[in-house]
Amino acid sequence: MAGRYYQCIVCGRKFPEGQGIVIEKSGRVMHFHSRRCAYRFLRLVLERADDSCIKPAIDEVLEEFRRILKERRVEKVI
């Protein structure tokens, strides 16, 4: 029984369902065969996005990672 295959939107490589990276956002489903392809795509999106649009999301994610790192440091001290 043949499984479902997807095609990477960056390099065109085909890969089987269950592998690769799938991102669903803004009504689009994007398939990447590797983290390198996902990184290349997302880097370009960030570079081209309008600052006023992306700044709140960047600030929110930065704060989340700062909080996580702070919690890890407290756990190690104890």
Side-chain angles (χ1 to χ4, degrees), residues 43-55 58:
R43 187 184 73 215
L44 283 174
V45 168
L46 286 173
E47 288 174 359
R48 295 178 185 181
D50 183 62
D51 286 343
S52 64
C53 174
I54 200 85
K55 186 181 183 312
I58 290 172

Side-chain angles (χ1 to χ4, degrees), residues 16-29:
E17 183 176 22
Q19 294 184 9
I21 298 168
V22 179
I23 298 175
E24 296 181 40
K25 189 69 179 166
S26 299
R28 292 176 173 85
V29 180

Side-chain angles (χ1 to χ4, degrees), residues 66-78:
R66 285 183 184 128
R67 180 184 50 78
I68 291 168
L69 288 173
K70 186 176 181 180
E71 289 173 3
R72 284 185 188 167
R73 279 189 229 121
V74 170
E75 288 176 5
K76 287 184 179 181
V77 172
I78 294 176

Side-chain angles (χ1 to χ4, degrees), residues 4-49:
R4 177 182 236 166
Y5 280 80
Y6 297 105
Q7 186 170 2
C8 179
I9 63 171
V10 174
C11 71
R13 185 174 178 178
K14 292 188 178 186
F15 58 96
E17 183 176 22
Q19 294 184 9
I21 298 168
V22 179
I23 298 175
E24 296 181 40
K25 189 69 179 166
S26 299
R28 292 176 173 85
V29 180
M30 297 158 281
H31 300 276
F32 307 95
H33 96 278
S34 69
R35 65 179 177 227
R36 181 178 175 175
C37 286
Y39 169 79
R40 287 177 62 195
F41 178 84
L42 292 171
R43 187 184 73 215
L44 283 174
V45 168
L46 286 173
E47 288 174 359
R48 295 178 185 181

